[in-house]
Amino acid sequence: MKKLSVNLDHIATLREARKENFPDPVQAAILCEIGGADGITVHLRQDRRHIKERDLELLRRTIKTELNLEMAPTKEMLNIALTYKPDWVTLVPESPEEVTTQGGLDLLKTYSVVKEVIDRLKDGGIKVSLFIEADKTQIEKAKELKAMAIEINTDLYTKDIKNRDKYLKEIKEASEYASSLSLLVRAGHGLNYHNIIPLLKIKEIEEFAIGFSIIARAVYVGLKEAVYEMKRLIIEGEK
Ligand code: PXP
């Protein structure tokens, strides 16, 4: 059955908008789990604009599902991951000016840096996923780097509506290829209650990482319900 990991960055964005101690991603995570989430994702950015170490520490001690830490492949982040030991680390590219993650990792350009981080994480017992584009060469590099999973960037598929079929085909082919190499396949970025539907028919995708659309819907219907609705769509769509 396909899994749903809920990204809680924007609970922390709201908290930081007023520099308050609420809403709290830790309380939110518990509601997500009650709503049916299979995992919780947070992105600890180098500028700490939303999620903080405190969140990571408390989530690690609190949640009952899998904790996935999104992070840039830097020494600082590596040490943090090895300290808090999330179940998964998803390596992502990061630049200070971006509003959200822009594009997947270029594993050709970052090969040696990523290799060192993956090796150290694996030695620490942490599973590693790489956020990449739906591209054969990148998938082959992910395999060569001995990552356990890839997360295919769905951003263009969600934004470039005119070319949606083309991107859907690329995501499907990339999922099949990665799965044939025994990589676990995830997908995420920009997914919502509508655009996820065609992706549910791709049997190789085992997990979705979704944040903004769920947190936005939670403003109207509550977080538990927003997660439950997404999880129900995933279960129904797979049938
Ligand atoms: N996957 C990755 C690698 C991301 O960086 C993000 C955004 O933090 C997401 C998934 C979730 O994207 P969204 O918030 O658009 O659902």
Side-chain angles (χ1 to χ4, degrees):
M1 202 200 294
K2 294 187 192 310
K3 293 183 180 173
L4 169 65
S5 185
V6 180
N7 180 314
L8 293 177
D9 295 353
H10 295 304
I11 298 288
T13 300
L14 194 54
R15 174 186 67 192
E16 297 308 316
R18 283 292 179 95
K19 302 284 174 221
E20 281 287 357
N21 62 4
F22 66 92
D24 187 337
V26 182
Q27 291 177 327
I30 292 166
L31 289 172
C32 289
E33 289 184 327
I34 294 170
D38 303 289
I40 300 295
T41 294
V42 288
H43 185 173
L44 184 68
R45 297 186 75 99
Q46 292 167 91
D47 62 12
R48 307 295 194 275
R49 69 171 79 152
H50 40 51
I51 294 294
K52 318 279 184 208
E53 270 101 322
R54 170 263 181 209
D55 302 322
L56 186 61
E57 183 190 351
L58 292 179
L59 285 168
R60 174 66 300 178
R61 287 163 48 188
T62 311
I63 67 165
K64 310 287 180 248
T65 57
E66 287 198 310
L67 180 60
N68 175 34
L69 170 63
E70 271 181 33
M71 62 175 226
T74 65
K75 285 219 160 64
E76 184 206 10
M77 288 299 151
L78 174 63
N79 288 332
I80 289 172
L82 292 171
T83 303
Y84 296 112
K85 302 254 182 194
D87 300 286
W88 284 91
V89 158
T90 299
L91 295 176
V92 297
E94 197 179 295
S95 81
E97 313 79 39
E98 67 192 7
V99 173
T100 180
T101 314
Q102 296 296 308
L105 281 167
D106 183 341
L107 297 175
L108 299 171
K109 284 197 188 136
T110 58
Y111 192 90
S112 53
V113 175
V114 170
K115 184 174 183 339
E116 197 192 329
V117 173
I118 293 183
D119 291 348
R120 296 273 316 274
L121 289 169
K122 286 174 70 175
D123 286 347
I126 300 169
K127 295 178 275 191
V128 184
S129 179
L130 302 176
F131 184 59
I132 57 172
E133 299 300 321
D135 176 271
K136 234 179 152 182
T137 311
Q138 297 294 334
I139 293 168
E140 280 159 7
K141 288 287 159 200
K143 182 69 190 170
E144 205 177 301
L145 283 160
K146 301 192 172 65
M148 186 176 279
I150 58 159
E151 181 180 329
I152 297 176
N153 181 10
T154 50
D155 193 46
L156 282 172
Y157 160 79
T158 66
K159 291 217 174 74
D160 187 353
I161 313 262
K162 274 197 209 130
N163 291 309
R164 186 162 278 181
D165 288 351
K166 172 177 98 97
Y167 290 117
L168 183 62
K169 187 164 173 277
E170 284 178 11
I171 293 169
K172 184 172 165 40
E173 285 170 3
S175 302
E176 287 166 356
Y177 186 55
S179 180
S180 77
L181 298 179
S182 304
L183 285 160
L184 204 140
V185 182
R186 297 166 160 184
H189 215 284
L191 296 176
N192 62 34
Y193 295 78
H194 304 285
N195 62 26
I196 193 172
I197 304 293
L199 297 179
L200 298 172
K201 294 290 173 214
I202 301 176
K203 70 172 191 314
E204 288 79 10
I205 299 179
E206 299 191 37
E207 184 166 330
F208 294 98
I210 308 179
F212 189 76
S213 65
I214 293 177
I215 306 306
R217 194 179 193 88
V219 172
Y220 304 118
V221 304
L223 187 53
K224 190 179 79 174
E225 177 64 20
V227 171
Y228 177 73
E229 286 176 25
M230 184 62 86
K231 181 71 192 184
R232 209 179 44 200
L233 274 183
I234 292 173
I235 292 169
E236 290 298 316
E238 221 184 333
K239 284 182 187 164

